[in-house]
Amino acid sequence: MVKVTPNALPSAPPPGTRAGGALRRLVFAATAGVSLAAASFSAVPTAAYADAVPQARPLTPLAPLLAPTSLGRASDHLTVTVRGTGGRGDGRFELACHPEGGSHPDVDGACGSLDRGARWGKDPFAPVSPDSVCTMMYGGPATAHVTGTWAGRPVDATFDRSNGCQMARWDRLVPLLPDLR
């Protein structure tokens, strides 16, 4: 049988020594790594990039400080201004989703299409990539400007029908934008 005495255990190095500094750095690095891992596991994707199915969000440490609407989708509100359609859809419209409302001509259709088009990592209001190859078709002088908040993210997007890519981008957002096909 081995007898252990209190002096037989190694003691921590004194604070000013080289070994003491290395031990402090090691403890600090381990603590920082655990903190970063815990933060990444608690991160929740925003609803703009989640599937169209509503998902419950876990509470975060700041949840009691946030307004109840900031945790849900109740803050979805867009202002759509359309010009140059030849009267087929010109005007300024308000659209609220979750719950639906506003002056938009097709509130249910517009909210439904935006919900169905919401995908992880995709922004439905993103501009056409500058390196896109587009047909030189002209779709008319119609323009649209969409501002507000969608899925908790600010929106400030402009649309036109100046070429094939811009026309396809516009058409993806019908019925939020008027159908000009």
Side-chain angles (χ1 to χ4, degrees):
M1 181 187 266
V2 176
K3 214 178 200 185
V4 177
T5 62
N7 291 337
L9 298 174
S11 62
T17 66
R18 181 174 213 170
L23 181 61
R24 278 194 301 276
R25 285 192 299 277
L26 180 64
V27 169
F28 176 75
T31 308
V34 169
S35 297
L36 286 174
S40 68
F41 285 124
S42 67
V44 177
T46 60
Y49 302 109
D51 291 330
V53 178
Q55 299 176 359
R57 294 178 181 213
L59 293 177
T60 62
L62 298 177
L65 304 175
L66 300 173
T69 58
S70 66
L71 293 176
R73 304 263 328 251
S75 62
D76 294 342
H77 180 268
L78 298 173
T79 301
V80 182
T81 306
V82 181
R83 295 188 179 109
T85 64
R88 297 189 306 180
D90 287 356
R92 181 183 168 139
F93 310 103
E94 300 293 323
L95 176 69
C97 299
H98 314 105
E100 284 79 11
S103 62
H104 191 279
D106 186 3
V107 172
D108 291 334
C111 290
S113 79
L114 285 170
D115 282 340
R116 283 187 301 278
R119 297 285 181 263
W120 184 269
K122 300 292 181 187
D123 179 5
F125 303 101
V128 173
S129 174
D131 60 342
S132 296
V133 178
C134 305
T135 62
M136 296 310 298
M137 295 172 38
Y138 179 65
T143 61
H145 187 208
V146 180
T147 58
T149 304
W150 179 255
R153 294 181 178 263
V155 175
D156 188 4
T158 56
F159 298 86
D160 62 43
R161 298 182 60 81
S162 60
N163 63 41
C165 294
Q166 296 294 348
M167 290 168 53
R169 180 174 174 242
W170 179 295
D171 292 343
R172 276 192 301 274
L173 287 178
V174 169
L176 176 67
L177 301 178
D179 190 354
L180 301 178
R181 293 177 273 188

PDB file of all heavy atoms in Angstrom, residues 47 55 57 67-76 98 151-152:
ATOM      1  N   ALA A  47     -35.567  33.954 -38.755  1.00  0.00           N
ATOM      2  CA  ALA A  47     -36.663  33.343 -39.494  1.00  0.00           C
ATOM      3  C   ALA A  47     -36.571  33.621 -40.992  1.00  0.00           C
ATOM      4  O   ALA A  47     -37.146  32.888 -41.786  1.00  0.00           O
ATOM      5  CB  ALA A  47     -37.997  33.838 -38.953  1.00  0.00           C
ATOM      6  N   GLN A  55     -41.067  28.171 -36.247  1.00  0.00           N
ATOM      7  CA  GLN A  55     -40.288  27.399 -35.297  1.00  0.00           C
ATOM      8  C   GLN A  55     -40.247  28.118 -33.964  1.00  0.00           C
ATOM      9  O   GLN A  55     -40.182  29.337 -33.920  1.00  0.00           O
ATOM     10  CB  GLN A  55     -38.860  27.214 -35.808  1.00  0.00           C
ATOM     11  CG  GLN A  55     -38.802  26.465 -37.106  1.00  0.00           C
ATOM     12  CD  GLN A  55     -37.383  26.393 -37.633  1.00  0.00           C
ATOM     13  OE1 GLN A  55     -36.467  26.919 -37.037  1.00  0.00           O
ATOM     14  NE2 GLN A  55     -37.200  25.746 -38.756  1.00  0.00           N
ATOM     15  N   ARG A  57     -38.420  29.427 -30.729  1.00  0.00           N
ATOM     16  CA  ARG A  57     -37.051  29.843 -30.465  1.00  0.00           C
ATOM     17  C   ARG A  57     -36.750  29.655 -28.987  1.00  0.00           C
ATOM     18  O   ARG A  57     -37.550  30.015 -28.149  1.00  0.00           O
ATOM     19  CB  ARG A  57     -36.859  31.312 -30.815  1.00  0.00           C
ATOM     20  CG  ARG A  57     -36.999  31.574 -32.276  1.00  0.00           C
ATOM     21  CD  ARG A  57     -36.834  33.041 -32.507  1.00  0.00           C
ATOM     22  NE  ARG A  57     -36.995  33.314 -33.925  1.00  0.00           N
ATOM     23  CZ  ARG A  57     -36.347  34.258 -34.548  1.00  0.00           C
ATOM     24  NH1 ARG A  57     -35.530  35.032 -33.910  1.00  0.00           N
ATOM     25  NH2 ARG A  57     -36.536  34.450 -35.819  1.00  0.00           N
ATOM     26  N   ALA A  67     -38.551  43.063 -26.335  1.00  0.00           N
ATOM     27  CA  ALA A  67     -40.000  43.155 -26.494  1.00  0.00           C
ATOM     28  C   ALA A  67     -40.521  41.838 -27.041  1.00  0.00           C
ATOM     29  O   ALA A  67     -39.848  41.176 -27.829  1.00  0.00           O
ATOM     30  CB  ALA A  67     -40.337  44.293 -27.456  1.00  0.00           C
ATOM     31  N   PRO A  68     -41.746  41.422 -26.685  1.00  0.00           N
ATOM     32  CA  PRO A  68     -42.260  40.137 -27.153  1.00  0.00           C
ATOM     33  C   PRO A  68     -42.308  40.027 -28.668  1.00  0.00           C
ATOM     34  O   PRO A  68     -42.094  38.979 -29.217  1.00  0.00           O
ATOM     35  CB  PRO A  68     -43.674  40.088 -26.570  1.00  0.00           C
ATOM     36  CG  PRO A  68     -43.664  41.046 -25.429  1.00  0.00           C
ATOM     37  CD  PRO A  68     -42.636  42.073 -25.755  1.00  0.00           C
ATOM     38  N   THR A  69     -42.559  41.128 -29.384  1.00  0.00           N
ATOM     39  CA  THR A  69     -42.640  41.033 -30.841  1.00  0.00           C
ATOM     40  C   THR A  69     -41.284  40.810 -31.477  1.00  0.00           C
ATOM     41  O   THR A  69     -41.209  40.328 -32.587  1.00  0.00           O
ATOM     42  CB  THR A  69     -43.256  42.312 -31.446  1.00  0.00           C
ATOM     43  OG1 THR A  69     -42.456  43.423 -31.057  1.00  0.00           O
ATOM     44  CG2 THR A  69     -44.674  42.499 -30.993  1.00  0.00           C
ATOM     45  N   SER A  70     -40.183  41.137 -30.784  1.00  0.00           N
ATOM     46  CA  SER A  70     -38.875  40.952 -31.392  1.00  0.00           C
ATOM     47  C   SER A  70     -38.470  39.480 -31.430  1.00  0.00           C
ATOM     48  O   SER A  70     -37.584  39.113 -32.173  1.00  0.00           O
ATOM     49  CB  SER A  70     -37.824  41.779 -30.662  1.00  0.00           C
ATOM     50  OG  SER A  70     -37.663  41.284 -29.359  1.00  0.00           O
ATOM     51  N   LEU A  71     -39.111  38.625 -30.645  1.00  0.00           N
ATOM     52  CA  LEU A  71     -38.782  37.212 -30.671  1.00  0.00           C
ATOM     53  C   LEU A  71     -39.579  36.467 -31.715  1.00  0.00           C
ATOM     54  O   LEU A  71     -39.208  35.393 -32.128  1.00  0.00           O
ATOM     55  CB  LEU A  71     -39.033  36.584 -29.294  1.00  0.00           C
ATOM     56  CG  LEU A  71     -38.121  37.070 -28.188  1.00  0.00           C
ATOM     57  CD1 LEU A  71     -38.539  36.444 -26.875  1.00  0.00           C
ATOM     58  CD2 LEU A  71     -36.683  36.743 -28.490  1.00  0.00           C
ATOM     59  N   GLY A  72     -40.701  36.991 -32.137  1.00  0.00           N
ATOM     60  CA  GLY A  72     -41.544  36.309 -33.109  1.00  0.00           C
ATOM     61  C   GLY A  72     -41.445  36.961 -34.467  1.00  0.00           C
ATOM     62  O   GLY A  72     -40.528  37.697 -34.753  1.00  0.00           O
ATOM     63  N   ARG A  73     -42.423  36.680 -35.320  1.00  0.00           N
ATOM     64  CA  ARG A  73     -42.429  37.245 -36.648  1.00  0.00           C
ATOM     65  C   ARG A  73     -43.428  38.384 -36.745  1.00  0.00           C
ATOM     66  O   ARG A  73     -43.797  38.807 -37.814  1.00  0.00           O
ATOM     67  CB  ARG A  73     -42.799  36.154 -37.657  1.00  0.00           C
ATOM     68  CG  ARG A  73     -41.918  34.943 -37.628  1.00  0.00           C
ATOM     69  CD  ARG A  73     -40.818  34.899 -38.627  1.00  0.00           C
ATOM     70  NE  ARG A  73     -41.049  35.525 -39.868  1.00  0.00           N
ATOM     71  CZ  ARG A  73     -41.226  34.909 -41.025  1.00  0.00           C
ATOM     72  NH1 ARG A  73     -41.239  33.615 -41.069  1.00  0.00           N
ATOM     73  NH2 ARG A  73     -41.371  35.594 -42.132  1.00  0.00           N
ATOM     74  N   ALA A  74     -43.955  38.870 -35.611  1.00  0.00           N
ATOM     75  CA  ALA A  74     -44.991  39.888 -35.622  1.00  0.00           C
ATOM     76  C   ALA A  74     -44.493  41.225 -36.156  1.00  0.00           C
ATOM     77  O   ALA A  74     -45.290  42.100 -36.435  1.00  0.00           O
ATOM     78  CB  ALA A  74     -45.559  40.066 -34.219  1.00  0.00           C
ATOM     79  N   SER A  75     -43.197  41.385 -36.329  1.00  0.00           N
ATOM     80  CA  SER A  75     -42.666  42.665 -36.777  1.00  0.00           C
ATOM     81  C   SER A  75     -42.519  42.737 -38.301  1.00  0.00           C
ATOM     82  O   SER A  75     -41.916  43.660 -38.806  1.00  0.00           O
ATOM     83  CB  SER A  75     -41.320  42.924 -36.118  1.00  0.00           C
ATOM     84  OG  SER A  75     -40.395  41.926 -36.495  1.00  0.00           O
ATOM     85  N   ASP A  76     -43.063  41.761 -39.046  1.00  0.00           N
ATOM     86  CA  ASP A  76     -42.943  41.784 -40.501  1.00  0.00           C
ATOM     87  C   ASP A  76     -43.855  42.862 -41.068  1.00  0.00           C
ATOM     88  O   ASP A  76     -45.075  42.740 -41.021  1.00  0.00           O
ATOM     89  CB  ASP A  76     -43.323  40.419 -41.093  1.00  0.00           C
ATOM     90  CG  ASP A  76     -42.348  39.333 -40.693  1.00  0.00           C
ATOM     91  OD1 ASP A  76     -41.239  39.676 -40.270  1.00  0.00           O
ATOM     92  OD2 ASP A  76     -42.706  38.159 -40.815  1.00  0.00           O
ATOM     93  N   HIS A  98     -48.136  38.155 -40.246  1.00  0.00           N
ATOM     94  CA  HIS A  98     -48.015  37.528 -38.913  1.00  0.00           C
ATOM     95  C   HIS A  98     -48.447  38.464 -37.813  1.00  0.00           C
ATOM     96  O   HIS A  98     -47.627  38.815 -36.980  1.00  0.00           O
ATOM     97  CB  HIS A  98     -46.606  37.010 -38.680  1.00  0.00           C
ATOM     98  CG  HIS A  98     -46.063  36.254 -39.826  1.00  0.00           C
ATOM     99  ND1 HIS A  98     -45.126  36.785 -40.670  1.00  0.00           N
ATOM    100  CD2 HIS A  98     -46.337  35.021 -40.314  1.00  0.00           C
ATOM    101  CE1 HIS A  98     -44.839  35.900 -41.599  1.00  0.00           C
ATOM    102  NE2 HIS A  98     -45.561  34.828 -41.410  1.00  0.00           N
ATOM    103  N   ALA A 151     -38.810  39.296 -41.341  1.00  0.00           N
ATOM    104  CA  ALA A 151     -38.160  38.282 -40.503  1.00  0.00           C
ATOM    105  C   ALA A 151     -37.102  38.895 -39.604  1.00  0.00           C
ATOM    106  O   ALA A 151     -36.043  38.328 -39.393  1.00  0.00           O
ATOM    107  CB  ALA A 151     -37.568  37.177 -41.369  1.00  0.00           C
ATOM    108  N   GLY A 152     -37.404  40.079 -39.092  1.00  0.00           N
ATOM    109  CA  GLY A 152     -36.492  40.734 -38.165  1.00  0.00           C
ATOM    110  C   GLY A 152     -35.311  41.421 -38.813  1.00  0.00           C
ATOM    111  O   GLY A 152     -34.450  41.944 -38.120  1.00  0.00           O
TER     112      GLY A 152
END
